[in-house]
Amino acid sequence: DFLAAFARRYNPSVLTIPTCVDTDKFTPRTNGRGGAAPLVVGWIGSPTTAPYLSMLAGPLRNVHAATPIQVKVSGAASDVAFEGVPVTNVPWSLADEVSLFNTCDVGVYPLTDDEWSRGKCGFKAIQFMACGVPVVASAVGENLEIIEDGVNGFLATTSDEWEAKLRRLL
């Protein structure tokens, strides 16, 4: 909607097509989660969105101190690390994309509140949700349309909200 509003300033003939995924491909895992291993908080993104992960350093550290977790990162240009939190960096590939989503117990989709983020379509949140992985996303842009907080996912703005919603899901 944000991009459509921008485009309508130059041409009123704008059609919005919602972002979707192939739900025959993006399906929940069927093999369970694997026993007593720590729960996995996953982020799957791109080098352009990897810097947003830094806003989760404190919340993830606090969550890990109370409930041991493993953070999985895929798609960043270089390895991501958080002091005091175990992080596994996994290369992204199209062939492995669905299995990457399905190895996560909770998905995170952090964004800053700026024009770039308001123009994003919420694709990673939609992919996590299609795979049956609960998601905590920044309360920004299209996420506000896709996610009904506490119903089909969680929205967070502050570090305290990120921590509380991650703890609730874990």
Side-chain angles (χ1 to χ4, degrees), residues 93-153:
S93 75
L94 183 60
D96 295 331
E97 186 174 41
V98 174
S99 65
L100 285 170
F101 283 102
N102 280 321
T103 58
C104 300
D105 297 301
V106 174
V108 292
Y109 186 38
L111 298 169
T112 53
D113 190 1
D114 54 31
E115 285 197 349
W116 171 259
S117 296
R118 282 182 232 124
K120 296 185 72 55
C121 66
F123 192 47
K124 294 306 174 187
I126 292 168
Q127 289 175 305
F128 272 120
M129 294 164 77
C131 289
V133 177
V135 67
V136 182
S138 290
V140 174
E142 203 62 19
N143 290 346
L144 296 167
E145 300 298 320
I146 295 166
I147 298 170
E148 187 176 348
D149 191 44
V151 176
N152 64 346

Side-chain angles (χ1 to χ4, degrees), residues 1-2 10 20 28 35 40 42 45 64 66 71 75 77 97 114 118 124 128 136 147 164 169:
D1 291 335
F2 178 80
Y10 302 97
C20 60
V40 175
H64 178 65
V71 174
E97 186 174 41
D114 54 31
R118 282 182 232 124
K124 294 306 174 187
F128 272 120
V136 182
I147 298 170
L169 284 171

Side-chain angles (χ1 to χ4, degrees), residues 38-58:
L39 294 169
V40 175
V41 175
W43 176 88
I44 301 168
S46 67
T48 60
T49 56
Y52 300 132
L53 280 168
S54 64
M55 72 176 64
L56 299 184

